[in-house]
PDB file of all heavy atoms in Angstrom:
ATOM      1  N   LEU A  16      -9.950  10.153  18.365  1.00  0.00           N
ATOM      2  CA  LEU A  16     -10.150   9.080  19.254  1.00  0.00           C
ATOM      3  C   LEU A  16      -8.795   8.665  19.941  1.00  0.00           C
ATOM      4  O   LEU A  16      -7.724   8.941  19.301  1.00  0.00           O
ATOM      5  CB  LEU A  16     -10.731   7.847  18.568  1.00  0.00           C
ATOM      6  CG  LEU A  16     -12.098   8.049  17.950  1.00  0.00           C
ATOM      7  CD1 LEU A  16     -12.447   6.777  17.067  1.00  0.00           C
ATOM      8  CD2 LEU A  16     -13.174   8.497  18.892  1.00  0.00           C
ATOM      9  N   ILE A  17      -8.871   8.123  21.059  1.00  0.00           N
ATOM     10  CA  ILE A  17      -7.623   7.654  21.748  1.00  0.00           C
ATOM     11  C   ILE A  17      -7.797   6.242  21.877  1.00  0.00           C
ATOM     12  O   ILE A  17      -8.968   5.669  22.264  1.00  0.00           O
ATOM     13  CB  ILE A  17      -7.523   8.313  23.145  1.00  0.00           C
ATOM     14  CG1 ILE A  17      -7.264   9.845  22.963  1.00  0.00           C
ATOM     15  CG2 ILE A  17      -6.322   7.672  23.896  1.00  0.00           C
ATOM     16  CD1 ILE A  17      -7.251  10.637  24.282  1.00  0.00           C
ATOM     17  N   TYR A  18      -6.718   5.419  21.606  1.00  0.00           N
ATOM     18  CA  TYR A  18      -6.727   3.995  21.818  1.00  0.00           C
ATOM     19  C   TYR A  18      -5.742   3.653  22.883  1.00  0.00           C
ATOM     20  O   TYR A  18      -4.553   3.928  22.853  1.00  0.00           O
ATOM     21  CB  TYR A  18      -6.402   3.310  20.499  1.00  0.00           C
ATOM     22  CG  TYR A  18      -6.228   1.877  20.650  1.00  0.00           C
ATOM     23  CD1 TYR A  18      -7.379   1.042  20.704  1.00  0.00           C
ATOM     24  CD2 TYR A  18      -4.933   1.274  20.600  1.00  0.00           C
ATOM     25  CE1 TYR A  18      -7.145  -0.348  20.871  1.00  0.00           C
ATOM     26  CE2 TYR A  18      -4.813  -0.152  20.771  1.00  0.00           C
ATOM     27  CZ  TYR A  18      -5.933  -0.958  20.861  1.00  0.00           C
ATOM     28  OH  TYR A  18      -5.822  -2.258  21.079  1.00  0.00           O
ATOM     29  N   SER A  19      -6.159   2.903  23.891  1.00  0.00           N
ATOM     30  CA  SER A  19      -5.304   2.329  24.920  1.00  0.00           C
ATOM     31  C   SER A  19      -4.687   1.017  24.453  1.00  0.00           C
ATOM     32  O   SER A  19      -5.476   0.026  24.310  1.00  0.00           O
ATOM     33  CB  SER A  19      -6.089   2.151  26.264  1.00  0.00           C
ATOM     34  OG  SER A  19      -5.313   1.464  27.135  1.00  0.00           O
ATOM     35  N   GLN A  20      -3.391   1.050  24.302  1.00  0.00           N
ATOM     36  CA  GLN A  20      -2.647  -0.191  23.828  1.00  0.00           C
ATOM     37  C   GLN A  20      -2.889  -1.357  24.864  1.00  0.00           C
ATOM     38  O   GLN A  20      -3.001  -2.383  24.480  1.00  0.00           O
ATOM     39  CB  GLN A  20      -1.130   0.102  23.777  1.00  0.00           C
ATOM     40  CG  GLN A  20      -0.661   0.791  22.625  1.00  0.00           C
ATOM     41  CD  GLN A  20       0.801   0.932  22.605  1.00  0.00           C
ATOM     42  OE1 GLN A  20       1.387   1.174  23.591  1.00  0.00           O
ATOM     43  NE2 GLN A  20       1.390   0.825  21.462  1.00  0.00           N
ATOM     44  N   LYS A  21      -2.892  -1.010  26.124  1.00  0.00           N
ATOM     45  CA  LYS A  21      -2.910  -2.058  27.147  1.00  0.00           C
ATOM     46  C   LYS A  21      -4.422  -2.585  27.373  1.00  0.00           C
ATOM     47  O   LYS A  21      -4.546  -3.821  27.594  1.00  0.00           O
ATOM     48  CB  LYS A  21      -2.376  -1.549  28.470  1.00  0.00           C
ATOM     49  CG  LYS A  21      -2.139  -2.679  29.524  1.00  0.00           C
ATOM     50  CD  LYS A  21      -1.301  -2.028  30.663  1.00  0.00           C
ATOM     51  CE  LYS A  21      -0.911  -3.163  31.556  1.00  0.00           C
ATOM     52  NZ  LYS A  21       0.013  -2.716  32.606  1.00  0.00           N
ATOM     53  N   LYS A  22      -5.342  -1.753  27.348  1.00  0.00           N
ATOM     54  CA  LYS A  22      -6.729  -2.132  27.637  1.00  0.00           C
ATOM     55  C   LYS A  22      -7.604  -2.345  26.455  1.00  0.00           C
ATOM     56  O   LYS A  22      -8.676  -2.989  26.471  1.00  0.00           O
ATOM     57  CB  LYS A  22      -7.359  -1.191  28.585  1.00  0.00           C
ATOM     58  CG  LYS A  22      -6.701  -1.067  29.952  1.00  0.00           C
ATOM     59  CD  LYS A  22      -7.447  -0.218  30.918  1.00  0.00           C
ATOM     60  CE  LYS A  22      -6.701  -0.059  32.168  1.00  0.00           C
ATOM     61  NZ  LYS A  22      -6.829  -1.085  33.135  1.00  0.00           N
ATOM     62  N   GLY A  23      -7.199  -1.821  25.226  1.00  0.00           N
ATOM     63  CA  GLY A  23      -7.998  -1.980  24.101  1.00  0.00           C
ATOM     64  C   GLY A  23      -9.154  -1.054  24.040  1.00  0.00           C
ATOM     65  O   GLY A  23     -10.039  -1.128  23.252  1.00  0.00           O
ATOM     66  N   TRP A  24      -9.145   0.012  24.874  1.00  0.00           N
ATOM     67  CA  TRP A  24     -10.249   0.951  24.938  1.00  0.00           C
ATOM     68  C   TRP A  24     -10.079   2.028  23.819  1.00  0.00           C
ATOM     69  O   TRP A  24      -8.986   2.459  23.524  1.00  0.00           O
ATOM     70  CB  TRP A  24     -10.267   1.766  26.213  1.00  0.00           C
ATOM     71  CG  TRP A  24     -10.587   1.016  27.528  1.00  0.00           C
ATOM     72  CD1 TRP A  24     -11.068  -0.342  27.532  1.00  0.00           C
ATOM     73  CD2 TRP A  24     -10.489   1.450  28.776  1.00  0.00           C
ATOM     74  NE1 TRP A  24     -11.238  -0.690  28.753  1.00  0.00           N
ATOM     75  CE2 TRP A  24     -10.911   0.334  29.635  1.00  0.00           C
ATOM     76  CE3 TRP A  24     -10.022   2.552  29.349  1.00  0.00           C
ATOM     77  CZ2 TRP A  24     -10.902   0.393  31.023  1.00  0.00           C
ATOM     78  CZ3 TRP A  24     -10.031   2.688  30.819  1.00  0.00           C
ATOM     79  CH2 TRP A  24     -10.481   1.610  31.519  1.00  0.00           C
ATOM     80  N   ILE A  25     -11.229   2.350  23.215  1.00  0.00           N
ATOM     81  CA  ILE A  25     -11.237   3.458  22.219  1.00  0.00           C
ATOM     82  C   ILE A  25     -12.185   4.384  22.706  1.00  0.00           C
ATOM     83  O   ILE A  25     -13.371   4.089  23.075  1.00  0.00           O
ATOM     84  CB  ILE A  25     -11.619   2.935  20.866  1.00  0.00           C
ATOM     85  CG1 ILE A  25     -10.715   1.840  20.363  1.00  0.00           C
ATOM     86  CG2 ILE A  25     -11.687   4.138  19.866  1.00  0.00           C
ATOM     87  CD1 ILE A  25     -11.239   1.075  19.166  1.00  0.00           C
ATOM     88  N   TYR A  26     -11.776   5.702  22.977  1.00  0.00           N
ATOM     89  CA  TYR A  26     -12.660   6.746  23.486  1.00  0.00           C
ATOM     90  C   TYR A  26     -12.338   8.168  22.900  1.00  0.00           C
ATOM     91  O   TYR A  26     -11.211   8.315  22.458  1.00  0.00           O
ATOM     92  CB  TYR A  26     -12.555   6.761  25.025  1.00  0.00           C
ATOM     93  CG  TYR A  26     -11.229   6.893  25.697  1.00  0.00           C
ATOM     94  CD1 TYR A  26     -10.703   8.118  25.966  1.00  0.00           C
ATOM     95  CD2 TYR A  26     -10.409   5.796  25.898  1.00  0.00           C
ATOM     96  CE1 TYR A  26      -9.439   8.294  26.533  1.00  0.00           C
ATOM     97  CE2 TYR A  26      -9.123   5.889  26.442  1.00  0.00           C
ATOM     98  CZ  TYR A  26      -8.629   7.136  26.699  1.00  0.00           C
ATOM     99  OH  TYR A  26      -7.432   7.255  27.233  1.00  0.00           O
ATOM    100  N   MET A  39     -14.400  -1.014  22.010  1.00  0.00           N
ATOM    101  CA  MET A  39     -13.289  -1.927  22.432  1.00  0.00           C
ATOM    102  C   MET A  39     -12.619  -2.516  21.185  1.00  0.00           C
ATOM    103  O   MET A  39     -13.272  -2.659  20.167  1.00  0.00           O
ATOM    104  CB  MET A  39     -13.797  -3.103  23.191  1.00  0.00           C
ATOM    105  CG  MET A  39     -14.326  -2.725  24.488  1.00  0.00           C
ATOM    106  SD  MET A  39     -13.141  -2.088  25.812  1.00  0.00           S
ATOM    107  CE  MET A  39     -12.224  -3.544  26.011  1.00  0.00           C
ATOM    108  N   GLY A  40     -11.359  -2.710  21.249  1.00  0.00           N
ATOM    109  CA  GLY A  40     -10.629  -3.266  20.092  1.00  0.00           C
ATOM    110  C   GLY A  40      -9.381  -4.007  20.665  1.00  0.00           C
ATOM    111  O   GLY A  40      -9.290  -4.152  21.841  1.00  0.00           O
ATOM    112  N   TYR A  41      -8.557  -4.412  19.694  1.00  0.00           N
ATOM    113  CA  TYR A  41      -7.299  -4.971  20.155  1.00  0.00           C
ATOM    114  C   TYR A  41      -6.244  -4.672  19.042  1.00  0.00           C
ATOM    115  O   TYR A  41      -6.565  -4.340  17.950  1.00  0.00           O
ATOM    116  CB  TYR A  41      -7.469  -6.486  20.373  1.00  0.00           C
ATOM    117  CG  TYR A  41      -7.596  -7.312  19.074  1.00  0.00           C
ATOM    118  CD1 TYR A  41      -6.453  -7.854  18.516  1.00  0.00           C
ATOM    119  CD2 TYR A  41      -8.863  -7.509  18.564  1.00  0.00           C
ATOM    120  CE1 TYR A  41      -6.599  -8.601  17.269  1.00  0.00           C
ATOM    121  CE2 TYR A  41      -8.994  -8.199  17.405  1.00  0.00           C
ATOM    122  CZ  TYR A  41      -7.863  -8.740  16.839  1.00  0.00           C
ATOM    123  OH  TYR A  41      -8.058  -9.522  15.660  1.00  0.00           O
ATOM    124  N   SER A  42      -5.079  -4.838  19.444  1.00  0.00           N
ATOM    125  CA  SER A  42      -3.897  -4.692  18.486  1.00  0.00           C
ATOM    126  C   SER A  42      -2.763  -5.581  18.967  1.00  0.00           C
ATOM    127  O   SER A  42      -2.446  -5.712  20.116  1.00  0.00           O
ATOM    128  CB  SER A  42      -3.436  -3.206  18.417  1.00  0.00           C
ATOM    129  OG  SER A  42      -2.429  -3.023  17.482  1.00  0.00           O
ATOM    130  N   GLY A  43      -2.254  -6.225  17.901  1.00  0.00           N
ATOM    131  CA  GLY A  43      -1.138  -7.180  18.162  1.00  0.00           C
ATOM    132  C   GLY A  43      -1.670  -8.626  17.980  1.00  0.00           C
ATOM    133  O   GLY A  43      -2.739  -8.951  17.684  1.00  0.00           O
ATOM    134  N   ASP A  49      -2.290  -6.323  22.694  1.00  0.00           N
ATOM    135  CA  ASP A  49      -2.417  -5.228  23.724  1.00  0.00           C
ATOM    136  C   ASP A  49      -1.232  -5.170  24.683  1.00  0.00           C
ATOM    137  O   ASP A  49      -1.429  -4.947  25.886  1.00  0.00           O
ATOM    138  CB  ASP A  49      -3.770  -5.497  24.473  1.00  0.00           C
ATOM    139  CG  ASP A  49      -5.016  -5.272  23.593  1.00  0.00           C
ATOM    140  OD1 ASP A  49      -4.901  -4.601  22.542  1.00  0.00           O
ATOM    141  OD2 ASP A  49      -5.996  -5.921  23.848  1.00  0.00           O
ATOM    142  N   PRO A  61       1.471  -4.529  19.318  1.00  0.00           N
ATOM    143  CA  PRO A  61       0.338  -3.628  18.867  1.00  0.00           C
ATOM    144  C   PRO A  61       0.975  -2.412  17.984  1.00  0.00           C
ATOM    145  O   PRO A  61       2.242  -2.272  18.015  1.00  0.00           O
ATOM    146  CB  PRO A  61      -0.171  -3.018  20.218  1.00  0.00           C
ATOM    147  CG  PRO A  61       1.031  -3.084  21.180  1.00  0.00           C
ATOM    148  CD  PRO A  61       1.719  -4.311  20.783  1.00  0.00           C
ATOM    149  N   ILE A  62       0.092  -1.665  17.405  1.00  0.00           N
ATOM    150  CA  ILE A  62       0.517  -0.579  16.621  1.00  0.00           C
ATOM    151  C   ILE A  62       1.315   0.291  17.480  1.00  0.00           C
ATOM    152  O   ILE A  62       1.020   0.544  18.704  1.00  0.00           O
ATOM    153  CB  ILE A  62      -0.557   0.197  15.886  1.00  0.00           C
ATOM    154  CG1 ILE A  62      -1.599   0.765  17.010  1.00  0.00           C
ATOM    155  CG2 ILE A  62      -1.311  -0.650  14.985  1.00  0.00           C
ATOM    156  CD1 ILE A  62      -2.558   1.755  16.397  1.00  0.00           C
TER     157      ILE A  62
END
Side-chain angles (χ1 to χ4, degrees):
L16 303 173
I17 295 174
Y18 174 75
S19 167
Q20 283 181 320
K21 192 168 186 174
K22 298 185 183 280
W24 294 350
I25 302 169
Y26 54 95
M39 295 290 294
Y41 73 92
S42 182
D49 296 332
I62 61 170

